[in-house]
């Protein structure tokens, strides 16, 4: 995507050919900053403290973190240690483990002398593959938007509700949930997006709104609890969200509050779709509510909000009594029965074991 006149991915190799540059998302939408990561510890901090976020981008960042380690020490012990250090940063997003497993499986058979170069090659491939996957998700989802538009009067707007940020900032480029929206705009379909603010970190208000505005997509920021009201009054044609982990039976784990959107959509007959890159499928898990670990983040994210003060400075302010304890589960699980369809790079399927296996037959037992 573009920032001003320049095309950006969210992560890329620095000019020195060793370090990694990222868009530091902590400061958006008020300031656009690029941060250079030169050590594994810096990569771990960037993932844990959400300088980068979104399951696909976390995976790509972790892959480059392994490459940084191999440049310094490519021994088996170092490879295992970097896997452990980066894996513990964010427990819910399955792409993190997928990328780390991929890197370790790629590098372990190689001589130590070849591992650094191979690590950088594979990290770059993972980033490129993510872009291709997201573009294909966009094409699959575009057909859904086209079908909704075809049922409307000519020129009438398709209204889409999204939650959190599943845009290009959550991936290497294009995004998952937003990819169909961007392609619909390119195709000349009038679209409008209701953007959930997405408390507590406000990724919708700060990131999705910034993205859509930069691309010229009409959008309106709404509080998280407005979605049900909008659906009751026929103001939403479809909901589309991303996912941090999806089970083999189609349960979807995503940013906290997604489950409530799915309930409201189900009650009002509004189709509820999930943009799903295949590395986000956890084929080892079959019951999302019982089996997916839900990250519990600091209560400070609930008790404080960040914004730009009248003097122009970016500040954090407390919004609750100092004596009040805050809980902060970062994700929830939407059962497959509430999901209209999963939009993948291979097409759209129902949220069920058979639906997923039709698109990914190689995952069938004994296949």
């Amino acid at each position: 995507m573009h920032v001003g006149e320049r095309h950006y991915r969210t992560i890329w190799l620095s000019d020195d050919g060793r370090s990694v540059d990222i868009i530091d998302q902590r400061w958006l939408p008020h300031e656009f900053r690029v941060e250079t990561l030169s050590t594994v510890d810096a990569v771990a901090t960037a993932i844990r403290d959400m300088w980068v976020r979104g399951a696909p981008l976390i995976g790509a960042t972790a892959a480059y973190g392994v490459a940084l380690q191999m440049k310094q020490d490519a021994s088996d012990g170092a490879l295992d240690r970097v896997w452990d250090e980066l894996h513990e940063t964010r427990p819910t997003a399955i792409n993190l483990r997928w990328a780390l497993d991929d890197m370790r499986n790629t590098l372990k058979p190689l001589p130590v002398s070849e591992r650094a170069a191979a690590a950088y090659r594979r990290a770059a491939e993972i980033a490129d593959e993510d872009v291709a996957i997201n573009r294909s998700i966009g094409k699959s989802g575009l057909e859904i938007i086209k079908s909704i538009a075809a049922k409307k009067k000519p020129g009438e707007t398709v209204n889409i509700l999204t939650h959190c940020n599943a845009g290009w900032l959550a991936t290497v480029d294009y995004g998952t949930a937003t990819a169909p929206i961007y392609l619909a705009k390119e195709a000349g379909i009038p679209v409008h997006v209701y953007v959930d603010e997405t408390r507590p970190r406000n990724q919708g208000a700060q990131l999705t709104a910034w993205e859509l505005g930069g691309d010229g997509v009409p959008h309106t920021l709404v509080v998280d609890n407005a979605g049900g009201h909008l659906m009751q009054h026929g103001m939403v044609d479809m909901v589309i969200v991303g996912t941090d982990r999806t089970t083999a039976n189609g349960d979807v784990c995503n940013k906290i509050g997604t489950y409530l959107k799915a309930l409201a959509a189900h009650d009002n007959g509004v189709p509820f779709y999930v943009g799903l890159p295949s590395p986000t499928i956890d084929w080892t898990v079959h019951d999302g509510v019982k089996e997916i670990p839900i990250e519990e983040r600091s209560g400070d994210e609930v008790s404080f909000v960040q914004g730009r003060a009248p003097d122009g400075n970016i500040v954090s302010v407390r919004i609750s009594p100092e004596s009040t304890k805050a809980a902060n589960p970062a994700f929830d699980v939407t059962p497959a029965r509430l999901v209209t369809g999963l939009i993948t790079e291979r097409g759209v399927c129902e949220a069920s074991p058979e639906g997923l296996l039709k698109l990914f037959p190689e995952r069938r037992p004994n296949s």
Side-chain angles (χ1 to χ4, degrees):
M1 306 301 290
H2 287 80
V3 180
E5 298 300 317
R6 177 177 169 180
H7 173 265
Y8 278 92
R9 288 184 172 187
T10 51
I11 185 168
W12 62 96
L13 196 62
S14 303
D15 291 340
D16 65 9
R18 176 185 179 279
S19 305
V20 182
D21 287 344
I22 60 165
I23 297 173
D24 188 343
Q25 299 181 30
R26 294 174 297 169
W27 310 104
L28 293 173
H30 309 295
E31 292 183 9
F32 181 82
R33 299 186 187 182
V34 172
E35 186 74 26
T36 298
L37 308 178
S38 301
T39 66
V40 173
D41 286 346
V43 170
T45 298
I47 296 173
R48 183 183 301 109
D49 293 350
M50 297 176 69
W51 305 8
V52 296
R53 20 76 50 217
L57 177 54
I58 288 172
T61 306
Y64 274 112
V66 174
L68 283 168
Q69 177 61 68
M70 294 299 94
K71 194 74 170 180
Q72 178 180 355
D73 179 355
S75 66
D76 284 352
L79 184 55
D80 290 336
R81 286 193 298 275
V82 71
W83 193 102
D84 290 337
E85 180 178 355
L86 294 178
H87 183 255
E88 70 179 11
T89 56
R90 298 292 303 274
T92 301
I94 192 62
N95 295 61
L96 175 61
R97 190 182 76 198
W98 170 84
L100 291 171
D101 284 346
D102 185 289
M103 294 294 288
R104 184 160 64 178
N105 293 339
T106 297
L107 299 175
K108 264 287 174 74
L110 300 178
V112 171
S113 61
E114 298 179 10
R115 287 179 179 175
Y120 278 97
R121 283 197 303 270
R122 183 57 191 144
E125 290 171 355
I126 286 174
D128 289 342
E129 288 166 6
D130 181 64
V131 177
I133 285 173
N134 296 332
R135 174 80 180 180
S136 295
I137 288 173
K139 291 179 179 178
S140 298
L142 175 60
E143 297 307 310
I144 297 172
I145 297 176
K146 282 182 177 178
S147 68
I148 293 174
K151 298 175 184 178
K152 290 175 163 284
K153 297 177 182 178
E156 192 174 359
T157 298
V158 177
N159 287 293
I160 302 168
L161 176 72
T162 190
H163 186 68
C164 197
N165 174 258
W168 68 274
L169 287 167
T171 65
V172 178
D173 208 345
Y174 279 104
T176 55
T178 60
I181 297 170
Y182 290 131
L183 294 190
K185 176 180 174 289
E186 289 180 12
I189 300 172
V191 292
H192 168 266
V193 183
Y194 286 108
V195 179
D196 276 358
E197 61 182 350
T198 322
R199 287 276 294 145
R201 290 187 66 95
N202 296 317
Q203 293 104 315
Q206 296 183 343
L207 304 180
T208 304
W210 181 77
E211 275 192 36
L212 295 174
D215 200 63
V217 177
H219 62 283
T220 303
L221 179 65
V222 295
V223 298
D224 288 352
N225 290 331
H229 167 77
L230 297 176
M231 293 182 216
Q232 283 180 328
H233 290 270
M235 300 170 68
V236 176
D237 295 304
M238 67 179 292
V239 180
I240 180 169
V241 300
T243 174
D244 289 82
R245 187 186 303 208
T246 295
T247 69
N249 72 312
D251 294 339
V252 174
C253 182
N254 193 48
K255 179 67 178 181
I256 193 75
T258 302
Y259 174 44
L260 298 181
K261 294 297 176 297
L263 286 172
H266 185 265
D267 191 50
N268 289 279
V270 175
F272 182 94
Y273 288 96
V274 179
L276 176 65
S278 58
T280 312
I281 305 170
D282 189 341
W283 297 97
T284 69
V285 171
H286 297 271
D287 187 326
V289 174
K290 294 181 180 179
E291 298 180 66
I292 295 178
I294 300 299
E295 179 181 1
E296 179 75 28
R297 294 185 60 81
S298 169
D300 285 351
E301 294 181 352
V302 177
S303 301
F304 292 82
V305 294
Q306 178 177 289
R308 185 182 290 280
D311 62 6
N313 290 321
I314 298 174
V315 298
S316 179
V317 296
R318 175 178 282 277
I319 60 171
S320 62
E322 291 188 14
S323 59
T324 297
K325 180 181 178 181
N328 188 15
F331 303 91
D332 59 25
V333 175
T334 298
R337 63 182 174 82
L338 297 176
V339 179
T340 304
L342 302 172
I343 307 173
T344 80
E345 69 269 24
R346 296 188 183 180
V348 182
C349 69
E350 67 178 20
S352 69
E354 187 57 31
L356 284 166
L357 290 172
K358 282 182 179 178
L359 292 185
F360 301 93
E362 69 275 15
R363 290 291 181 171
R364 289 186 183 277
N366 304 318
S367 63

